[in-house]
Amino acid sequence: MFHSILKEIIFSAILNFNLFGVPMVGADICGFEDNTTEQLCQRWQQLGAFYPFSRNHNSLHSKDQDPTVFSEAMQASTRKALLIRYSLLPYLYTLFHKANRHGYTVARPLFFEFPKDTTTYSIDRQFLWGEALMITPVLEENALSVDAYFPDDVWYDFYTGGKVKTGHVQLPAPMDVINLHVRGGYVIPMQNPALTTTASRTNKFALMVAMSSNLTANGALFWDDGDTIDTFEKNLIIAMKFKAENGTITSQVMHDGYPEATSMVLGSVQVLGVPSKPSTVTANGKLVQFTYNSNMVLNITDMSLPMNKEFSITWT
């Protein structure tokens, strides 16, 4: 029951509807009919945080199933997953823009990105957000590990930034963790999360730069006020591209018609897969603070770069 509910909801509903051209979709987290259990709801909340449309919802006659009716541990893991979702809203919003303008999928099966890898054809326990983020939920009751498949590419652990080997890998999955991995070659725009999306939008942005095997990465951001209709047609947007190569990250502003663009500030950058510790890091020619760890992760912090202006960040 535990497995069949979650598996069918991942594959049949979320992924299929994206293939049909309906990307804004999500099941009722923790179920609409019958009563859930704490463990089922906990794992479902983790998974549901990565539905394109995410909400906990049940019937009038079922027991309450919002996180506050369960243990503090369950509440904490749900809060953790939702805060990650909120931090990724700039990436998710950009994916929805691509879906709207070009018919892209938001949540997609692995074989969409790796059509020549026949192993991916039957994988229905993992999915991707766009090209860059892999989600591997727990679908078995009482499981504290999960089998994941990583196609032939560079992959990084979202939490530690460490590289992961390709092929079938057994991943630890304690009750407070949903496994997330970032694909090398991509730049994921993020934002410091807050209690609401409205509050989150006032916080500084961040970039997660996952380097490919040849030490390059690319990404994009689409942004508007989040409320106005037809902002693209009215040019009330800001759109930018990011590129990393030769130890430098640059931005290119493609459209700048968003009235509040001056309030958009880049505060930090995390670069995954930097082969050696830099001696200096500069942002627009000025020295900035950074740390480097054994997972080959470069963290650049305490910046305030206007995002409506093109910037350059270099490490040497």
Side-chain angles (χ1 to χ4, degrees), residues 21 65 94 143 161 182 204 220 228 230 269:
Q65 61 187 31
T94 302
V182 182
K204 287 185 176 181
T228 303
D230 295 331
V269 173

Side-chain angles (χ1 to χ4, degrees), residues 285-305:
K286 297 181 180 180
L287 291 173
V288 291
Q289 297 183 28
F290 72 93
T291 60
Y292 180 85
N293 64 35
S294 59
N295 284 327
M296 298 191 294
V297 176
L298 173 64
N299 283 295
I300 307 167
T301 57
D302 294 328
M303 298 186 297
S304 293
L305 302 180

Side-chain angles (χ1 to χ4, degrees), residues 66-101:
D66 63 276
T68 60
V69 304
F70 296 113
S71 68
E72 291 186 5
M74 190 278 192
Q75 294 174 46
S77 72
T78 299
R79 187 180 304 110
K80 177 180 177 180
L82 289 174
L83 285 174
I84 293 172
R85 177 189 177 87
Y86 275 35
S87 73
L88 290 166
L89 285 178
Y91 177 61
L92 182 61
Y93 204 64
T94 302
L95 291 178
F96 273 113
H97 169 68
K98 292 180 178 180
N100 175 261
R101 302 305 303 177

Side-chain angles (χ1 to χ4, degrees), residues 174-248:
M175 285 300 299
D176 65 338
V177 170
I178 180 169
N179 276 281
L180 305 172
H181 292 85
V182 182
R183 184 179 174 190
Y186 293 91
V187 178
I188 295 181
M190 303 176 66
Q191 196 167 33
N192 295 333
L195 185 61
T196 66
T197 57
T198 300
S200 292
R201 293 176 64 87
T202 66
N203 289 340
K204 287 185 176 181
F205 286 80
L207 297 178
M208 180 177 283
V209 182
M211 300 300 254
S212 67
S213 57
N214 60 359
L215 300 180
T216 62
N218 293 276
L221 173 66
F222 170 89
W223 206 243
D224 59 19
D225 66 10
D227 290 313
T228 303
I229 303 298
D230 295 331
T231 55
F232 182 83
E233 290 76 7
K234 298 172 183 175
N235 196 35
L236 299 176
I237 66 157
I238 185 167
M240 62 192 74
K241 293 182 178 180
F242 308 106
K243 185 174 185 178
E245 62 178 354
N246 301 321
T248 297

Side-chain angles (χ1 to χ4, degrees), residues 3-4 32 48 52 96 101 121 123 125 135 137 156 163 167 202 220 244 268 279 283 285 294 305:
H3 164 262
S4 63
F32 187 78
F96 273 113
R101 302 305 303 177
Y121 296 176
I123 291 178
R125 294 178 171 228
I135 298 101
Y156 300 92
K163 284 187 179 180
T202 66
S268 62
S279 57
S294 59
L305 302 180

